[in-house]
Each structure stands twice: as structure tokens, then as C-alpha cells.
Amino acid sequence: MSNIKWVMVPGIAALAAILTLGLAGTATALHSGGVAHCDACHSMHNSPDNPVAPGATPNNLLLKGSDASSTCLNCHKGSAGSYHILTTTGGSFSPGGDFFWLSANYTNVVRNNPVASDPDQFAHNVIASDYGLTVDANNAAAPGGTYPSSILSCASCHDPHGQVNGGTANGMDPISVSGSYGAIPAAGTIAGNYRLLGDSEYGLADAPIAVTKSYGETDGSTITKAADPNDPNSVDEYAVAHPAYGKGMSEWCASCHSDYINNSQKHPAGNGEFLNGQAANYNSYVATGDFTGSQANAYSALVPFELQTTDKVALLAAVSSTAGPDSSDNVMCLTCHRAHASAFNNITRWNTEDELMAEGFPTAANLVTIGAVANADYYGRDIATTYGEYQRSLCNKCHTKD
Amino acid sequence: MTKRTLKVSLLALLMALPAQLAFAGVEASFRYPLASFSGPVQSMWAKLAVDPERNEIYTLRPRKHDIRIYDEHGMEIFVFAEGLGGAADITIGNDGDIFVLTNGYQASTIHLLNYRGEPVAQIPLQNVPDAFSRIVADRILHRGDSLYLVDSAAMKVIVVDEAGRFEQGYDLAREIKPFVPSDQAQRELSIRDWRREQLENIELNGFTVDAQGNLFFTVPVLFSVFKLSADGELERFGKPGGAKGKFGVVAGIITDDMGYIYVSDRLRSVVLVFDRNLNFQTEFGYRGNEPSNLIVPDELAIDNNGNVYVGQAANRGVSVFKVVHQDARIPQVSETALIKELEKSGRAIEEVEVDRAEFVVDRGSDVTSTDSGDSGRNTEVVESPNKEENHNE
């Protein structure tokens, strides 16, 4: 967080310039890979649109929210779909996940005992007081690390100013394109970081390399949409899209969870942790009891992997791929976990705690209770339909122990 | 010249109306938060609806899955919560019927409840054309005898009758295409197609329909409010910025009987008021901890008494403001009020074509007529690209 304060200084100066010159028209992409409009997030002098009420404590970052995450959610909370990562229905099927699950309170009866859910287990507990998101009640610090839960915010992972390696003040070229969509920057410029993640000037590791084409996540060719809404036969090539992870995601997570990589006592994850023989398992695995798959159609967005490349052109080609991994691809933290939130304890992508996925929590009734859209826990998939009634944990996608 | 049909004998009635209906300017004052006998009722971005017959306000708390009903003084009078999981929005029909919209994965359902909140029926959609068949509505609005169902992400609207039969459809994303910065879009699409998805992710944050059938909707990524009139004319207004009258993240929108437009701004934590000619009038709220302040306002509603209800974040509940319009020179009155006065008087209601320029009167320096050109409004107008095909089945 301390880095955030340092980058505020040039940010405020830039804000003053922009306020003087006015905003350059409208735009559809606020961040555009780099710093956004300063006055989208900051109010310079407790100005008329953001006066401090008598007796209230001024926001020392001049933010237009009560805290950093609340400021982000001014735009990023909303209806399902698109760039919203907090909804009231769990319907945002973004790769990172919907912080909706932080409000998923329900109770089930297990062996005659009531068992209540613990929503703090379902997400990174970013603190956003305007939106009712509070500090993690279970962990005082990041599991496997020391980062205090009391300061966890969106800006703990995302650099809202979009700087790469300290930005131009640190001698870097200016950002000309987003780092999320595979765009190749013009000569003398650079791309921003994937999803505005902070990098070596921000945490302990360089920003990971990954590419996506959309805000959503599909398995591959299972979903198409019309490119032209008036022509249902036209196909949008980017509708078949999931993030293509290249390299460094686990190392980056380890900025806070350092004990979870390069540790022989933990599940391997990270660069160099190749799938080896597990790749063949992944490709043959269709469901519990069905090992008839082939690599060409083996990809599951519920169990993604890293391609061990930094070539964005290659990654761009992979965002619509339905192919499973090679033995030289690697397992990463996001193979099993989501970055923001999920319906399951420890933010896993599937229920790892019940024998049969279709019978695990949350149940369909639980989803109704908490106001989630049907099958929101598996991004619209009905597990019994997709995998079968007796499907066991997707750990078996690599380990085939079922 | 735009024409509208008004069922009034206009000028004679204007002169006969009492002085209280004469207005100049707009003033807003905080009244109270919606409350129960235990104090203010907390809520986070509650969905709001007004029962115009009884002047009661309904709130749907999406996180709590309950519906609370308040009387015209803002006091809670009834609560129900059974079977509201997945409820996304609420609207009230002419007879006090409660319509609740639930949305699920790739589907949404309209539930009709009685005044006790007991389920009466599900209303299936019927005869929806292919172009609108995949709509997943997250907003519902009752106007006239119709229900408007809005898919905010797809920016599509379908209008159905109370039995669910399709009446009309709007593809608002197509409507506003001329307003997407075309130079920027074309240049960037041709050079860097990574922008494509972003351009496709324009969506609306707020939606309403006025008594004349004009559609109003807010599009935050364009910092704009759009008005799609019943005759297919599309107008846009708003400029981005932090100063008074400008837009940050526009959200909820309503209109009143006099044509004033209220827009909530999440980023600036204000509610902005525009007159029927889209001229900025005033704004109120502002971020802060005082009762009259707002924290990330979103949903809006207005009752027959001119009380504006504002749903907001930070569990601050729903704040109620009284808005008073005044006009120093010539009275402006609501068309609904005019019609009611006529009906009360027993006079014949005749169909007259009224020119908007005649109806909207000079109110000083900022307003002349609807056809006066720019008049400082920052307004753009285009003919709907779908004017012929978009409306009516």
C-alpha cells in the first residue's frame, strides 16, 4: 500500500493538468492499460462534488469513495456481465470471480447438525465499506505470508495507476495499449500489465503474462454469440474465449502467499512445475468414469493451466482454444483457485470438500436462498448434466483417482 | 418540429389553476430516511417502486431478499420475504399488483404477487420475436398497462402486456451506436481489435419511461443520458466531469409529471435534476455523513407528492428528498395534473395537437423552446437507425 501513496504524487499533478484542460471527450475504456482519468477516482480539494461533512475525517487519498475498493466499485459493481465484479446475483462469470460470494450466508443440516457457510472463506476479503465488504474475520494476514488482512483492497493486487516497472518516472516507455487483450504496442511504447496487476515495483514478482479477449470465461466452443445482433447466423470469434495464461501467475500470487510455492510440502505450482504425465491424464479425462477424451477438446475453464510462454501472439491464439495441455505446460495457483471469489471454501474453482460435486454445497436451494442465479457456483454449468450425477472432485482432471 | 398529442384544453386550464402550481427554479431539501418504528431501515442499493394509487413506496433489498412497504410519510407498514430469492427488481401495477422479476442463468421470470406478497402466478413471455428471445431481464417497470423488461447488459428492452404477450421491442445498443465515439472506435477497431469487446460492453445503468412513452436510460461508460422519444428521435445529453451538472458514473433515472429528469451519479454522490429541455437545474446530496448527504446513490423513485426516493450504498438506506419546482413567469404544470383537473371539472377532453415549442414556455435566460437549438444543453439528436423496424411487432 505504501507504493500507492508514492504514486499518488505524480497522479495528483496529472489530475490538476487534466482538470485544467478538461477531459478529452468520452471514452469507453477508462483505464486503457494505463492511468485512468484522475478525476474518475480522486477529488482534488474536497471539491463541491465531494465535500467532507462536518466532523467527518477527510479522505487522505482524495478518493471518491470511502476507501480504495469502494472507489473501484463505484464503477465495477453492477449487473451481471461485462466489467462488473460485484453483483447481487453471483451472475458475473468473470475469470476472477464475483465478490457476491462474500454475502453467501446459508445453513445446511449435515448429520443432524446445522452447518453454516462462512462467506469469508469464499473470497479475498477486500475492504470496501461503502459496499459492506469488511475485513477477513478468519485470517489476520495472508495465508502463507504476512500481508495484513486489515489493508487488503483491490489496490493490493491491481495498480489503479497502471504503471509498469514504476512508470515513466522510472524510465519506462509510455503505455499505448492495454496489457489484457494481446495488443502489440507501437515502437517506443509498451503495453500495460495484464488486468492492471502490479509488478516488480509494486510487489515481489513481475506482473504475470496472460491474455484474454473478454470479461467472461467459457470452456471453448460451447458458447457462441452473434457478432451482429441482427444476424443470428453471424458468429463472434471472440465469444469463445477464456484467459490464456502464459507465465508467472503463481509467482505473482506468492508476493503475499510466499509459503505456497517452491515448497516441497505443498502442492506444486509455478513456472517449471510442468504437468508432465498429468497432461495426458488431463487430456483423456472427460468425467468420472469417462477417459475417452482427446487433447483437441480437453480444455476446461474450471481447470486452467499455464502455457509457459510470454509470446502474446501465441497466447492470443490460445484464448479460443479448446485444446488441453502439453506435458511442458504447468500447474499454477489459478488451476484450482479463483483470484477474486468463488462459491467454495478457500476460493477453489470447484467444491473440493464433498465426495460428489453434484451433492456439494452450495445446493440449488442454497443458491435460491442467497439470491444467486441458478448454477452460479459453476458458472452456469449444471454439474449433473455436464459431468454426471456421480462426478467426483475435479482434482481428478489431472490425477485420475476416481 | 416535433408534435405531441395532449388530451388537454391547455391554455385555458393553465390560467385557471391555483397559484401553488406556479413554479420557478428547482429546490431540493432532505426530509428523512425510510424508517420503521426501530429507526431508519438499512439497505444497500435497494430497488424502489411507487404505488401511484396509494402513494406507497416499495423497497426490494436484494441482499436481504425482502420487500418492505412504506406509507407516504416514509414509515414502514408491511414486510414480506417469502420466496424472494433471486429477486432482482420490483414494480407496482395499476391495481396494486406487485410484479417481481427474478433472473437466473440465461433466463428471467416475472412473478405476480398479491398485496400481501403472496404469489399469484408466474407470467410467461409469449410471442417474443427471435431478436429478443434471449433477453435476460434484470429490470422491470410498469407503465400504463404494460411491463417493460430490461436486459441491462444487452441493452435490450421488451414491452409486454400484463399477461406477458409481446408488444414492442427496443435494441438500445443499436440505437446509441451513432453516439459511440465513431472516429475513435473505427480507428482503434481497425488497428487494434482488442478494443472490440470493450466497445461491445457498453451497457445501461438506469432506465425509466415517462408518461408520454419516452424512454430514458443512462450509459455510464459514455457519461450520458439518452432519451428515446416515442416517435423514434434519440437525444443524448451529459458531459463527463466533476463539476456541478456533469456526469461521473450515471446510474438511476426517473422523470416526474412535469417532465423534470432526475439522474443519480454514483461517483459524484449526487442526484442531478434537468428540466424537460435537458437543461441542468440543480443537484443535491454529495458524499458525506450528514443525513442529507448521499453515499453512492443508485436507484430513484418519485411519488405523487414530489418526494424523491434515493437508494444508496454503505447501508445508509433510502433517503427522501422534497423537490419543489418554481417558475417565476408562466406556470408549468404536469400533463397528468391537467388531465385530472379536466376530468374533475367534467369538461370535455378534446384531442389537440400541441407544438412542443408552444407548450414549453420561456422561463428566463436558460430556456426558450424545445426547438431553440443548442441553448447550452450539450445535446445531440439523431433519428433512430431502427425507427421503422425497432418498434412494434
Side-chain angles (χ1 to χ4, degrees), chain A residues 181-227:
Chain A
Y181 303 98
I184 307 300
T189 68
I190 60 173
N193 287 338
Y194 176 69
R195 296 304 199 214
L196 292 178
L197 293 172
D199 60 14
S200 56
E201 295 290 320
Y202 192 88
L204 298 178
D206 290 338
I209 304 297
V211 161
T212 189
K213 266 297 179 189
S214 70
Y215 300 100
E217 173 188 285
T218 73
D219 282 336
S221 59
T222 53
I223 296 177
T224 58
K225 68 175 181 180

Side-chain angles (χ1 to χ4, degrees), chain A residues 2-260:
Chain A
S2 59
N3 287 329
I4 297 292
K5 292 178 180 175
W6 282 112
V7 297
M8 275 292 298
V9 176
I12 290 173
L15 169 61
I18 285 182
L19 288 178
T20 303
L21 298 173
L23 294 169
T26 59
T28 55
L30 179 74
H31 301 289
S32 299
V35 66
H37 306 161
C38 301
D39 80 341
C41 303
H42 299 286
S43 176
M44 278 303 291
H45 307 294
N46 292 322
S47 50
D49 57 321
N50 276 116
V52 175
T57 303
N59 186 322
N60 63 359
L61 294 177
L62 303 179
L63 291 171
K64 288 186 174 179
S66 294
D67 45 54
S69 299
S70 293
T71 305
C72 301
L73 291 172
N74 284 336
C75 294
H76 291 283
K77 181 188 187 296
S79 56
S82 191
Y83 53 90
H84 296 142
I85 46 80
L86 175 61
T87 73
T88 55
T89 63
S92 177
F93 298 159
S94 65
D98 190 336
F99 286 101
F100 158 82
W101 297 107
L102 279 170
S103 61
N105 284 295
Y106 56 84
T107 300
N108 290 299
V109 176
V110 180
R111 298 186 185 91
N112 296 321
N113 292 312
V115 176
S117 66
D118 180 3
D120 280 357
Q121 290 268 2
F122 299 155
H124 274 105
N125 292 74
V126 293
I127 298 163
S129 59
D130 288 354
Y131 295 86
L133 304 183
T134 55
V135 66
D136 187 346
N138 299 320
N139 300 295
T146 59
Y147 192 92
S149 301
S150 59
I151 59 170
L152 186 65
S153 75
C154 303
S156 300
C157 300
H158 300 279
D159 181 350
H161 298 108
Q163 291 183 307
V164 175
N165 271 331
T168 54
N170 199 37
M172 298 299 293
D173 288 332
I175 293 169
S176 63
V177 295
S178 167
S180 300
Y181 303 98
I184 307 300
T189 68
I190 60 173
N193 287 338
Y194 176 69
R195 296 304 199 214
L196 292 178
L197 293 172
D199 60 14
S200 56
E201 295 290 320
Y202 192 88
L204 298 178
D206 290 338
I209 304 297
V211 161
T212 189
K213 266 297 179 189
S214 70
Y215 300 100
E217 173 188 285
T218 73
D219 282 336
S221 59
T222 53
I223 296 177
T224 58
K225 68 175 181 180
D228 179 351
N230 299 298
D231 178 6
N233 295 318
S234 66
V235 176
D236 185 336
E237 60 183 301
Y238 299 133
V240 183
H242 51 75
Y245 295 102
K247 202 168 187 178
M249 191 60 74
S250 304
E251 286 69 18
W252 194 84
C253 297
S255 294
C256 292
H257 304 282
S258 56
D259 197 33
Y260 285 80

Side-chain angles (χ1 to χ4, degrees), chain B residues 343-356:
Chain B
E343 289 172 345
K344 276 184 192 171
S345 68
R347 294 169 58 184
I349 299 174
E350 56 185 288
E351 291 277 343
V352 292
E353 286 285 326
V354 179
D355 190 300
R356 287 176 67 185

